Amino acid sequence: MTDAPTAESFWEQHHRARRDGGPGHPNPVLTQTAGTLPPGDALDLGCGVGGDTIWLARHGWQVTAVDISDAAVQRVRAHSRRLGIDHRVNGEQHDLARSFPAGQFDLISAQYLHSPFALDRTRVLRTAAHALRPGGHLLIVDHGSAAPWSWNKDSDTHHPSPGETAAVLALDPTRWSVVRADTPHRRATGPGGRTATATVTDNVLLIQRHDRTR
């Protein structure tokens, strides 16, 4: 009888099985948002193959790239070295269910921070909001629909709206404000470009911190 996989072993196996085809494309909402902001310190939660981390670093951001998989973190470090931007990338392995990177950030990106394993997303995202510097932004992009290549194809799955996510975070409106909350549609291609394109919905929530840190 084999032991049930843990979140760490599952994602480690997932990333070790991937062929190293480069860091991949950055998420479009991330590039749209970060492209309007002055570069500073960014935190990429669940960096995966590193498309967002590499894009941010190439556009002048100092990036802390975090993933539960050591293989993913090492791959992002290798990509940044090959591109000569490793001085802008700090890779850290974290199981966000147990630990969160230290420091304060001007931009924190949580792109599709979903998992088949138990994860207190509300706690993680509230911790992220508190890790922002004054004026900093927390960008949360969630799946608003299931794509053909999604690991979760349960038709009964509820995709919380941006408003629902903001409500459950229950951040003090005198210290944080919602800058954007919408559900854009886009054409997307499956992992590795091996799957036909499909129209998907993103649930986008952008929060800004205003108060002075204490």
Side-chain angles (χ1 to χ4, degrees):
M1 180 185 206
T2 38
D3 294 332
T6 63
E8 183 175 342
S9 66
F10 174 87
W11 290 112
E12 188 69 13
Q13 183 177 2
H14 171 80
H15 283 288
R16 287 189 182 278
R18 292 183 69 105
R19 283 189 255 171
D20 190 356
H25 298 293
N27 287 301
V29 178
L30 181 277
T31 62
Q32 292 163 12
T33 303
T36 67
L37 302 173
D41 293 314
L43 173 60
D44 185 3
L45 296 175
C47 62
V49 295
D52 290 347
T53 290
I54 297 301
W55 187 92
L56 287 165
R58 294 181 85 166
H59 286 79
W61 293 81
Q62 201 72 35
V63 190
T64 298
V66 169
D67 203 277
I68 191 172
S69 164
D70 181 64
V73 172
Q74 295 302 329
R75 189 166 291 164
V76 171
R77 287 174 176 164
H79 289 320
S80 65
R81 281 195 299 271
R82 282 197 292 270
L83 292 168
I85 52 173
D86 49 308
H87 60 292
R88 292 193 177 277
V89 176
N90 174 40
E92 297 183 12
Q93 182 186 12
H94 284 272
D95 178 351
L96 293 173
R98 300 179 179 179
S99 64
F100 195 91
Q104 293 184 316
F105 304 92
D106 303 294
L107 173 65
I108 300 178
S109 176
Q111 302 281 318
Y112 312 106
L113 196 62
H114 307 285
S115 174
F117 296 87
L119 175 66
D120 187 347
R121 268 178 35 105
T122 299
R123 181 188 61 78
V124 172
L125 295 175
R126 281 183 60 82
T127 300
H130 283 271
L132 291 172
R133 291 193 179 107
H137 292 80
L138 168 61
L139 175 63
I140 304 166
V141 182
D142 291 335
H143 293 299
S145 62
W149 51 84
S150 298
W151 55 263
N152 183 2
K153 296 185 176 64
D154 185 351
S155 59
D156 293 328
T157 297
H158 175 65
H159 301 281
S161 70
E164 288 174 312
T165 299
V168 78
L169 290 179
L171 297 169
D172 182 347
T174 67
R175 300 170 65 188
W176 291 270
S177 63
V178 173
V179 177
R180 176 181 178 183
D182 60 356
T183 56
H185 304 289
R186 62 182 172 86
R187 294 293 291 175
T189 304
R194 297 186 298 272
T195 310
T197 58
T199 299
V200 298
T201 302
D202 290 325
N203 289 344
V204 180
L205 179 64
L206 181 63
I207 293 170
Q208 185 176 23
R209 183 170 187 167
H210 297 292
D211 70 308
R212 293 183 179 180
T213 55
R214 295 177 174 81

